[in-house]
Amino acid sequence: MKVSVSVLKEYDNLEVAIDKVNKSSANYLHIDVMDGIFVNNSKFPLDICEKAIKLSNKETDVHLMVNDVETIKEYAYLKPNRLTFHVEVIKNNEIIKYVKSLGIKVGLAINPETNINELMPYVNDIDLVLFMSVNPGLGGQKFINSVTDKIKLFKKLSPKELDISIDGGVNNETINSCREAGCNIVVAGSYVTNMDNYDDAIVNLT
Ligand code: DX5
Ligand code: ZN
């Protein structure tokens, strides 16, 4: 299992948190961008996201909770390794093709209440699906168990094998159902960043 660490809850303490991720065995740094419209919270404006990408020596995985395709393009210019935006926001595959043309891996995120049929038109164009196991907007929420059934069904129906990631409420207890559902990347925020030594948590997730 690969681990992507979200530093959302350490937003006011970013340099220290990213330094801890750099020194840990995490695979990716997960950056949660929120526009105050798609979700009721605003985090990681362009300049702070750019700074986080520069500070990271891990591959960066930027999760855009934004409502506007033009905003997706602005974050693509920062050239993260992976860029994930929400299936609820796009109307066709043009933005996916555009981001891929910049050499960036593309993920589509899907909210807990959104049907997996929404993903199907895009499966052949993307690299990853990010299943939200909380309603997006905040770190530290409780894992929604039913999401793992959705993942199993998606894996059964998908014509292509993709990276399968899950985001929200992942910890040493919920990791087993993530594994059993067939995820190969987990995003973990507060469970990791609440520890002094991030590897003390990451070791329970790999
Ligand atoms: C929620 C974010 C998550 C969040 C995860 O909107 O997308 O990445 O930071 O935090 P935890 O692991 O604390 O639920
Ligand atoms: Zn996220």
Side-chain angles (χ1 to χ4, degrees):
M1 185 73 80
K2 290 186 171 175
V3 177
S4 189
V5 176
S6 163
V7 288
L8 177 63
K9 290 201 87 184
E10 299 300 310
Y11 189 77
D12 297 326
N13 202 14
L14 215 49
E15 288 186 21
V16 173
I18 293 175
D19 186 53
K20 286 187 181 186
V21 176
N22 285 343
K23 289 176 177 147
S24 78
S25 57
N27 301 91
Y28 308 101
L29 173 71
H30 183 91
I31 302 170
D32 285 306
V33 175
M34 303 177 179
D35 66 353
I37 301 167
F38 184 75
V39 291
N40 189 17
N41 197 354
S42 300
K43 282 286 177 312
F44 290 94
L46 270 176
D47 57 332
I48 307 289
C49 185
E50 183 174 28
K51 180 178 154 194
I53 290 171
K54 285 204 175 120
L55 287 171
S56 179
N57 68 17
K58 303 288 179 182
E59 285 198 14
T60 49
D61 149 32
V62 172
H63 174 195
L64 297 179
M65 286 158 272
V66 304
N67 218 22
D68 180 26
V69 171
E70 288 308 309
T71 311
I72 298 174
K73 286 187 184 164
E74 287 174 6
Y75 282 84
Y77 297 142
L78 301 181
K79 291 283 186 92
N81 300 92
R82 290 165 181 251
L83 189 66
T84 295
F85 37 91
H86 274 255
V87 70
E88 294 86 0
V89 167
I90 60 169
K91 297 194 172 44
N92 55 54
N93 67 0
E94 276 169 32
I95 184 68
I96 297 174
K97 292 204 160 150
Y98 175 76
V99 175
K100 289 206 80 154
S101 76
L102 300 175
I104 301 168
K105 287 198 171 180
V106 170
L108 276 182
I110 179 164
N111 281 343
E113 71 279 9
T114 304
N115 195 294
I116 55 166
N117 291 337
E118 303 288 324
L119 292 168
M120 292 310 171
Y122 308 115
V123 165
N124 285 313
D125 298 319
I126 60 177
D127 302 289
L128 166 143
V129 179
L130 179 68
F131 286 89
M132 294 307 300
S133 41
V134 296
N135 288 310
L138 291 174
Q141 302 184 80
K142 193 174 174 298
F143 187 84
I144 299 171
N145 284 302
S146 58
V147 171
T148 55
D149 287 336
K150 242 169 96 172
I151 296 175
K152 287 181 202 164
L153 185 60
F154 174 79
K155 284 186 66 100
K156 209 182 275 177
L157 298 179
S158 173
K160 189 178 154 200
E161 200 161 321
L162 298 169
D163 281 335
I164 303 289
S165 187
I166 189 163
D167 184 8
V170 172
N171 59 34
N172 57 326
E173 288 169 4
T174 55
I175 186 67
N176 292 329
S177 45
C178 302
R179 213 174 259 132
E180 201 230 334
C183 298
N184 65 319
I185 304 172
V186 285
V187 177
S190 51
Y191 174 63
V192 173
T193 60
N194 283 346
M195 300 272 186
D196 270 340
N197 180 348
Y198 288 3
D199 271 341
D200 287 348
I202 292 170
V203 73
N204 295 325
L205 302 178
T206 51

